[in-house]
Amino acid sequence: MNDRGRKKGFGGGPAGAGRKVTEVEIGLLTTLSVPARGSVGKTGSWRTFVPVIDPGRCTKCLLCWVYCPEACVSRDLIIDLDYCKGCGICAEECPRDAIAMVKEEKR
Amino acid sequence: MRIKDFPEEELLLPGNAACQGCPSSMALRLALKALGRNTLLAVIASCTSVLQSPFPATAFDLPVLNMAFATGGATGSGLAAAVERLMKKGVYRERPTVLVWAGDGGTYDIGIQSLSGAAERNADFIYVCYNNEAYSNTGTQRSGATPYAAWTTNTVKGKREWRKDVAQIMVAHGIPYVATASLAYPTDLFEKFTRAKGIRGTRYIEILAPCPPGWKFPSGHTVKVARLAVQTGLWLLYEHREGITTYTAGTQRIIHGKARRLPVEEYLKAQGRFRHLFYPERDEERIAEIQRRVDRVFETLEFTHRLKQHIMDIEMLPPR
Ligand SMILES: Cc1ncc(C[n+]2csc(CCOP(=O)(O)OP(=O)(O)O)c2C)c(N)n1
Ligand code: SF4
Ligand code: SF4
Ligand SMILES: [Mg+2]
């Protein structure tokens, strides 16, 4: 994948566990997975409906950010369409009805 | 705590193997926001084992230990002991939080003896049961947490038994912190995790986790169904510390008379797993039975609240 696990130890590790993990040790830990976005690929392809935010209605309450189970709405309310699964929670929970779920043309 | 103040850092990364609208990933994401990066996570066999994604990548950006189904309590105890030892050796600058994450099958059924033992020893970890009220990962079989009348693949006409209440069993253990939470009340959930983090000993938090494929509702309704569970009184939000139970958020509002409790029907109708209570014809008897149970619980809760208010009013009177 990438060399992050090797550089930082156990995927970043708890604060203070900044002990250097040597390559030999890593070599033994063959089942150690490396943290990555898109760990099963671009899950955006699962989508049928795509969320579209209307900035005119949005009050930046951040409810869509907090409820997105996929962590793919950013704090400045940009949706990462590579990974958005189109579940529709953000649209359902928006108190201002500022998010529409729009049928997506297949790419 | 306001939503704006929740940390921005994501420890659960997008593009993972969870279903659309998955409550388990939503719950874990929020819990990890509250607990922070200095957490050692043990995942007990469940949907959460799978949604991490397969080797060599993982969606969890913190140390994770995947453990067998019955081992939640023992895993937490072992990790807590290891942390204690490593703290003494000076390996950690700051004590990491040990978090055991298990489903309802892994908690109510197969894991309860291990959890009970750990709680009795007051081992130092947070145990979370994310309760999707069935064995979701293996295709929705009934568990001890499945509610009365709910469909699962092995209760096709609806479960005949009532669910048990493990949060209350944990209260009976006398551990320092027990809380229930809901995905529809994220600040309440966040604050409960923050409080739990500040306490040592066994802490138990149970989160109701409405599962779209298992409960048969559209994936966009996860939060809505979670909210209805609280609004109808079928899921109680509280925390229990030092012998005192405090009801919180939506549940508190109902008890204090600030919100109307909705009929259970509104919750049941929102889910396909209760469809047989309404189609082909209404099953008045079972719907009424569920309503009666909730009514009885709230009669007691509201009575106790009024009694307390009354006593406080009397104590406030000037002495005669
Ligand atoms: C001893 C044992 N029996 C059965 C299984 C298969 N199994 C894996 S996950 C799972 C369901 C877990 O249900 P629950 O704890 O409610 O978590 P959920 O999948 O609902 O998130 C089962 C039966 C197992 N891993 N180990
Ligand atoms: S939930 Fe709606 S109003 Fe709130 S930040 Fe998101 S889009 Fe804006
Ligand atoms: S549709 Fe679902 S996955 Fe996509 S941004 Fe909204 S909440 Fe997140
Ligand atoms: Mg379950």
Side-chain angles (χ1 to χ4, degrees):
Chain A
M1 295 298 298
N2 56 35
D3 62 354
R4 203 155 151 227
R6 186 165 302 175
K7 263 198 238 131
K8 290 185 72 183
F10 302 83
R19 186 172 61 93
K20 252 210 148 95
V21 179
T22 65
E23 288 190 24
V24 179
E25 271 177 289
I26 285 290
L28 291 173
L29 294 164
T30 49
T31 55
L32 201 66
S33 290
V34 178
R37 291 164 73 85
S39 45
V40 288
K42 299 252 162 97
T43 48
S45 67
W46 299 12
R47 220 170 34 227
T48 317
F49 294 91
V50 63
V52 179
I53 303 186
D54 173 357
R57 295 185 73 95
C58 170
T59 56
K60 301 197 172 14
C61 68
L62 295 183
L63 280 175
C64 53
W65 170 74
V66 86
Y67 283 132
C68 175
E70 206 54 33
C72 63
V73 181
S74 74
R75 290 279 286 222
D76 33 24
L77 306 171
I78 313 266
I79 297 172
D80 189 338
L81 293 181
D82 278 350
Y83 302 119
C84 162
K85 290 172 182 165
C87 69
I89 291 176
C90 53
E92 187 70 37
E93 291 307 316
C94 173
R96 301 264 309 148
D97 272 335
I99 307 179
M101 296 302 292
V102 180
K103 183 91 192 270
E104 199 174 22
E105 292 302 315
K106 273 290 148 222
R107 283 160 296 181
Chain B
M1 192 71 192
R2 291 167 313 171
I3 283 175
K4 271 191 197 55
D5 303 325
F6 283 20
E8 193 170 351
E9 187 181 36
E10 299 294 352
L11 297 172
L12 191 148
L13 305 175
N16 57 53
C19 300
Q20 290 159 305
C22 171
S24 317
S25 50
M26 194 192 293
L28 184 60
R29 172 173 176 246
L30 293 175
L32 291 177
K33 278 193 185 293
L35 298 179
R37 182 175 279 286
N38 192 19
T39 301
L40 306 173
L41 172 64
V43 176
I44 305 307
S46 60
C47 283
T48 310
S49 321
V50 177
L51 68 87
Q52 290 166 53
S53 305
F55 179 80
T58 167
F60 295 177
D61 193 5
L62 77 169
V64 182
L65 202 59
N66 281 293
M67 295 302 286
F69 211 8
T71 67
T75 301
S77 305
L79 282 174
V83 165
E84 200 52 48
R85 180 103 184 113
L86 293 174
M87 282 299 288
K88 284 212 180 93
K89 281 180 140 186
V91 171
Y92 297 120
R93 241 178 288 133
E94 211 185 296
R95 181 183 290 274
T97 307
V98 175
L99 173 64
V100 175
W101 193 266
D104 53 296
T107 304
Y108 279 60
D109 300 336
I110 194 168
I112 193 162
Q113 64 84 14
S114 174
L115 172 61
S116 173
E120 189 261 328
R121 297 186 301 272
N122 199 23
D124 189 16
F125 65 94
I126 301 178
Y127 186 104
V128 172
C129 169
Y130 70 96
N131 182 359
N132 51 21
E133 301 189 326
Y135 291 73
S136 291
N137 185 46
T138 42
T140 324
Q141 292 80 29
R142 89 188 270 294
S143 79
T146 305
Y148 177 70
W151 167 94
T152 63
T153 51
N154 46 11
T155 56
V156 284
K157 290 186 177 158
K159 192 180 166 190
R160 269 177 296 205
E161 303 79 15
W162 298 86
R163 67 170 274 251
K164 60 179 170 179
D165 190 340
V166 171
Q168 284 301 307
I169 294 175
M170 297 317 288
V171 166
H173 279 72
I175 54 176
Y177 191 76
V178 177
T180 55
S182 162
L183 295 174
Y185 301 83
T187 39
D188 180 67
L189 185 149
F190 190 96
E191 283 165 2
K192 282 168 177 167
F193 272 91
T194 313
R195 271 196 288 282
K197 187 183 174 183
I199 298 170
R200 300 282 300 278
T202 310
R203 292 141 284 169
Y204 178 85
I205 300 179
E206 183 162 333
I207 308 170
L208 185 70
C211 160
W215 298 15
K216 311 236 168 285
F217 60 80
S219 63
H221 291 187
T222 303
V223 177
K224 183 178 142 188
V225 172
R227 189 177 299 114
L228 280 171
V230 174
Q231 290 174 329
T232 55
L234 281 164
W235 185 251
L236 299 178
L237 292 176
Y238 61 85
E239 59 182 357
H240 184 90
R241 287 182 77 171
E242 291 163 8
I244 296 168
T245 300
T246 313
Y247 291 88
T248 63
T251 304
Q252 186 188 65
R253 285 197 281 279
I254 296 173
I255 297 172
H256 290 188
K258 290 182 184 139
R260 191 175 70 93
R261 179 157 53 89
L262 301 179
V264 294
E265 219 181 298
E266 298 203 17
Y267 174 70
L268 304 175
K269 268 190 173 156
Q271 307 163 54
R273 65 173 174 160
F274 292 110
R275 192 184 145 86
H276 52 278
L277 297 183
F278 302 95
Y279 303 98
E281 55 195 45
R282 267 178 83 90
D283 187 338
E284 291 297 351
E285 207 175 304
R286 279 196 284 180
I287 299 170
E289 231 178 314
I290 297 169
Q291 187 65 60
R292 258 199 312 277
R293 276 226 167 192
V294 186
D295 290 349
R296 268 207 302 272
V297 170
F298 273 83
E299 257 165 47
T300 313
L301 291 177
E302 281 159 15
F303 176 76
T304 314
H305 174 67
R306 282 205 306 276
L307 193 66
K308 266 194 207 149
Q309 289 296 107
H310 191 63
I311 291 169
M312 262 156 43
D313 288 347
I314 291 172
E315 282 175 347
M316 296 279 275
L317 288 175
R320 274 191 288 177

